[in-house]
Amino acid sequence: MKPAHLCDELIVEIFTRLPSKSLLRFRSLSKSWYSCIGSPDFIRMHTFRSQQKLLIRHRTHKENEEGELEELYTLHPQDQLPLFHTHGYKDITPVQFPSTHSNIIGSYNGLVCLFDYDEKSIILWNPSIRRKLTLPDCPRTCYSEVEIGFGFDPVIDDYKIVCIPESNGKKAGRSFVYALKTNTWRRIASATPLFSSMMTKPCFFNGVLYWLGHYDLTRTYYLLTFDLSTHVFGNIALPFNNVLSVAPTPIQGPIPSLADFANQIWLMKDASWSAFLNFKKDQVEARLSSVLQLSTSDDLVFYSFCNGFQVYNLKIGEFSRLVDFNGAYFVFDVIQCLESLQLLGMGTACEGNKLTLS
């Protein structure tokens, strides 16, 4: 009896549905598989078929002997969150976070953008395959005085990072955009808008970056936008006056939603704003921020300043809380992250090890 052989098309179809860890092992088995799995077309197809996961960043309450706070991260399927009534960390192996003194700028297609405060550098990191790429420095820019945004240009199929200098009421400086395919920075021809500060992290949605901007001279707040395909800035008026804690969040609609000081979530539809969800004072004790809508459920994950990270089910109207990994750590940040092969063959391997904690 002759051994059965699978055609190349069927092998590719099967491979695109496998986890990244398995694909990394298969690359070492044959030259043809190595070439196939590392091709841009395969990586794009695998990313398209991957499911969103929740990346939870954990930080220790106390400094270690070197005077530093230790950090680790865990990856969770969206239907297996670590809630108080479940054993959410069972069979989950924590991994050392690649950059302790860093801020998460954003995440898309499995790539996480970090700003490292110690090295004064921007890093692209793939937690699924544990690789990272340190970007060349942005020209004529001091990172302490710029706003950074990360997203994806669907027109040319490329990942981009934008650096926008703060104006502080003066003449706006030069803004620059980085493209991963060329690994270079380019000056943005569109005029940089005047703003004194950004009140929120950037939110990437449908090819556009959004920030809550504030301009001291006119005492105005607005949504500042930047299109990653056209490289053009814009702004959107806000629906209310009390905007101290507005956070652009990618829920549903043509642009991101807003979470306001009164614990309401707003959506824009047909060029007008309307309240999508209202929480009572006894439900959320402090203002909302960092709202995420999970793609595989009816859950919202959000941060409130009194209760930390919580999960709200839209269908049944119940709250749960993301529990800490153990008594030594607390949940420091939460983002959505695809399992993907982005950065395969680029950058360097992360030095952090998988951890075994009691």
Side-chain angles (χ1 to χ4, degrees):
M1 186 183 211
K2 293 184 178 180
H5 292 282
L6 299 178
C7 65
D8 292 341
E9 291 79 7
L10 185 55
I11 291 175
V12 170
E13 186 71 19
I14 294 172
F15 278 5
T16 57
R17 303 176 188 277
L18 296 179
S20 301
K21 185 177 180 180
S22 299
L23 293 173
L24 293 180
R25 293 199 302 264
F26 292 159
R27 285 184 88 213
S28 63
L29 297 181
S30 77
K31 291 183 178 180
S32 61
W33 286 5
Y34 183 94
S35 176
C36 170
I37 294 172
S39 69
D41 288 340
F42 180 89
I43 293 175
R44 189 181 303 109
M45 189 183 304
H46 179 262
T47 301
F48 177 77
R49 290 180 171 173
S50 294
Q51 294 294 319
Q52 286 277 13
K53 290 188 174 182
L54 208 67
L55 184 149
I56 302 180
R57 184 180 184 182
H58 310 264
R59 174 178 284 183
T60 52
H61 292 280
K62 297 181 180 180
E63 296 177 346
N64 58 21
E65 295 179 354
E66 288 75 32
E68 296 182 346
L69 294 171
E70 298 178 356
E71 291 189 1
L72 55 87
Y73 70 92
T74 53
L75 286 168
H76 305 260
Q78 293 193 358
D79 57 353
Q80 300 176 29
L81 301 183
L83 306 178
F84 68 93
H85 58 276
T86 65
H87 302 286
Y89 295 102
K90 184 179 180 181
D91 301 324
I92 297 291
T93 303
V95 184
Q96 184 179 337
F97 202 79
S99 176
T100 301
H101 301 104
S102 63
N103 182 36
I104 296 178
I105 304 299
S107 171
Y108 191 74
N109 278 356
L111 286 185
V112 181
C113 182
L114 305 172
F115 177 73
D116 189 304
Y117 291 103
D118 288 340
E119 301 297 329
K120 299 294 187 293
S121 61
I122 300 174
I123 298 170
L124 287 177
W125 166 53
N126 185 333
S128 298
I129 62 173
R130 299 176 62 201
R131 294 196 70 83
K132 64 180 181 179
L133 175 70
T134 301
L135 273 58
D137 290 337
C138 181
R140 295 184 292 279
T141 294
C142 175
Y143 285 128
S144 62
E145 300 174 353
V146 301
E147 293 295 331
I148 304 171
F150 168 67
F152 181 74
D153 180 350
V155 175
I156 63 171
D157 190 35
D158 199 5
Y159 299 89
K160 293 183 176 179
I161 295 170
V162 60
C163 284
I164 311 171
E166 295 181 0
S167 57
N168 293 318
K170 304 175 183 178
K171 182 179 179 181
R174 296 176 176 178
S175 296
F176 291 85
V177 63
Y178 166 88
L180 179 59
K181 284 185 176 180
T182 60
N183 193 35
T184 57
W185 291 92
R186 171 184 166 191
R187 184 180 175 183
I188 297 172
S190 173
T192 301
L194 291 173
F195 67 91
S196 302
S197 61
M198 297 297 189
M199 310 301 292
T200 62
K201 283 185 177 183
C203 170
F204 175 71
F205 193 68
N206 286 349
V208 179
L209 285 164
Y210 298 81
W211 294 263
L212 172 64
H214 175 240
Y215 188 42
D216 286 339
L217 293 183
T218 57
R219 297 181 179 180
T220 55
Y221 296 83
Y222 56 92
L223 279 183
L224 174 67
T225 67
F226 180 74
D227 190 304
L228 287 175
S229 296
T230 63
H231 296 176
V232 173
F233 291 99
N235 62 79
I236 300 173
L238 295 173
F240 37 75
N241 294 323
N242 192 349
V243 294
L244 294 178
S245 65
V246 173
T249 53
I251 300 182
Q252 46 190 294
I255 68 171
S257 63
L258 307 172
D260 73 358
F261 190 79
N263 293 332
Q264 296 175 308
I265 296 178
W266 294 71
L267 296 177
M268 175 177 273
K269 187 176 182 180
D270 299 328
S272 63
W273 292 94
S274 61
F276 164 70
L277 190 61
N278 293 276
F279 291 116
K280 298 178 182 179
K281 290 184 178 180
D282 59 344
Q283 291 179 306
V284 181
E285 296 181 10
R287 63 188 186 181
L288 296 172
S289 67
S290 305
V291 181
L292 300 173
Q293 184 176 27
L294 304 188
S295 58
T296 58
S297 67
D298 295 304
D299 291 334
L300 297 179
V301 178
F302 62 87
Y303 178 82
S304 68
F305 287 86
C306 286
N307 298 325
F309 285 95
Q310 294 179 279
V311 179
Y312 178 75
N313 188 278
L314 293 168
K315 185 174 291 185
I316 62 178
E318 289 187 357
F319 285 86
S320 303
R321 183 177 176 272
L322 292 180
V323 298
D324 297 330
F325 184 78
N326 60 26
Y329 291 83
F330 67 96
V331 176
F332 179 64
D333 205 353
V334 175
I335 61 170
Q336 289 181 313
C337 188
L338 275 176
E339 183 171 350
S340 79
L341 295 170
Q342 304 294 336
L343 291 188
L344 186 63
M346 302 175 65
T348 59
C350 294
E351 296 178 356
N353 299 316
K354 291 188 176 182
L355 307 176
T356 301
L357 303 177
S358 56

